[in-house]
Amino acid sequence: MQDKRILVVYYSRTGTTKNISKIIGEKLSCSIEEIYDVKNRDGLMGFLKGGREGLKKNITVIKPIKKDPSMFNLIIIGTPVWASHLSPAIRTYINENHLKFKNVAFFYTQKGSASNKVFDDMRELIGKSPVATLKIDGKDFKDENYINKINEFTNEIFTNINEV
Ligand SMILES: Cc1cc2nc3c(=O)[nH]c(=O)nc-3n(C[C@H](O)[C@H](O)[C@H](O)COP(=O)(O)O)c2cc1C
């Protein structure tokens, strides 16, 4: 992958995925696009409905995107885990744009322990295997292991960029 145009795309309800995206973006010196869910996701009702919608694999309405994914060689997609599934906002972004993705990498943030379902789902929706993946959970923040994990992830991406 000699072409180094990289875009980090993420949705974040409470800022965790946003913070990780910013660090990845800085490490890779690349563009970032935040996805905004038009539905109100605030408070307990937002949480409960969000969980139900994540589980049912619902899509939502997202604000128009600013960056055309076909202009990038690698799209790094980040989502919080909702009820062991993708957030509806990122599911919607993938549904609407996946035909424009050349290469992909995935990451998620979650409170609990790791699940493979999210990446399997992303792989299936997009029809491509990721060049790298990153899972960050609550424990990684306690012992600051998230920094090491992000380094491994970005190194893997660098390796792939130079090899392919
Ligand atoms: C609707 C909803 C459902 C969630 N479901 C899960 C879950 O199934 N497993 C888990 O470990 N964390 C779950 N979480 C916690 C989030 O994945 C976690 O806090 C994430 O880092 C939040 O990212 P954000 O701050 O970018 O929104 C859920 C959070 C929300 C709002």
Side-chain angles (χ1 to χ4, degrees), residues 11-18 47 50-51 80-84 109-112:
Y11 166 75
S12 184
R13 175 175 174 265
T14 47
T16 311
T17 315
K18 182 175 192 148
F47 178 86
V81 173
W82 280 13
S84 303
T109 71
Q110 66 172 13
K111 275 251 161 18

Side-chain angles (χ1 to χ4, degrees), residues 10 14 23 32 53 113 118 121 137:
Y10 71 92
T14 47
I23 300 172
I32 300 196
E53 289 181 29
S113 57
V118 175
D121 207 4
D137 61 35

Side-chain angles (χ1 to χ4, degrees), residues 4-15:
K4 297 191 172 73
R5 286 170 303 159
I6 302 174
L7 175 67
V8 177
V9 178
Y10 71 92
Y11 166 75
S12 184
R13 175 175 174 265
T14 47

Side-chain angles (χ1 to χ4, degrees), residues 28-43:
L28 296 174
S29 305
C30 69
S31 304
I32 300 196
E33 166 115 54
E34 178 166 4
I35 301 302
Y36 297 95
D37 193 329
V38 166
K39 275 198 188 177
N40 182 1
R41 302 291 184 185
D42 293 345

